[in-house]
Amino acid sequence: MTSATPRTTSPATPRRALLADPGYQAFVILRTAFTVAPILFGLDKFANLLVDWPAYLAPWINDIVPGSAQAAMYAVGVIEVVAGITVGLAPRFGAWLVAGWLAGIIVNLLTIPDYYDIALRDFGLLLAAVALARLAERYHGKRQH
């Protein structure tokens, strides 16, 4: 004899389906990367442990910003930390903020001889930030159960 009891799905089923969605997985990967990386690189602007950051500031920009190149990097560091936090909290906006910031970095790098490879890498990052912004339109803001 078969049971007439209807089959029920657990509350975890929609969440499990979402976690299996490749688009959602890409969203989570990009959101994590664009939250953590700007915060870490922004904080390093104060310590210069990874690289001598002032060397990446184009001379023409250094000429128009007040203070030293290192002082400019302090401001850059604050902006990058804020951008990373914004991606973590509001990825639909934060991803566009990071993309715009990367566009500015690319312009800066294209005006320094021998930094074209880094500008190309940052263009790839800009495209990834735009992809995050588009994925956030689909996956962020919806109540996920």
Side-chain angles (χ1 to χ4, degrees):
M1 180 179 249
T2 61
S3 170
T5 307
R7 239 183 192 190
T8 60
T9 58
S10 72
T13 302
R15 178 84 173 145
R16 198 169 298 133
L18 184 64
L19 292 173
D21 176 4
Y24 184 74
Q25 293 170 4
F27 167 70
V28 170
I29 291 166
L30 290 170
R31 183 180 186 184
T32 302
F34 282 109
T35 298
V36 174
I39 292 171
L40 290 179
F41 292 138
L43 291 173
D44 193 56
K45 300 299 189 289
F46 295 90
N48 291 314
L49 295 174
L50 298 173
V51 68
D52 179 28
W53 291 108
Y56 290 90
L57 187 62
W60 68 272
I61 295 177
N62 192 34
D63 291 342
I64 61 174
V65 296
S68 67
Q70 183 58 55
M73 286 300 117
Y74 295 149
V76 166
V78 169
I79 292 166
E80 289 176 346
V81 168
V82 168
I85 292 169
T86 304
V87 170
L89 297 175
R92 286 187 289 180
F93 173 74
W96 289 114
L97 176 64
V98 169
W101 184 249
L102 284 163
I105 291 171
I106 292 165
V107 169
N108 170 72
L109 291 170
L110 288 174
T111 63
I112 305 172
D114 300 325
Y115 286 114
Y116 304 129
D117 56 334
I118 300 170
L120 181 60
R121 179 211 54 202
D122 286 353
F123 180 70
L125 290 171
L126 183 149
L127 294 177
V130 170
L132 172 60
R134 299 302 299 136
L135 288 166
E137 286 293 323
R138 177 178 180 127
Y139 295 108
H140 189 262
K142 293 180 185 176
R143 189 109 184 127
Q144 307 297 342
H145 302 286

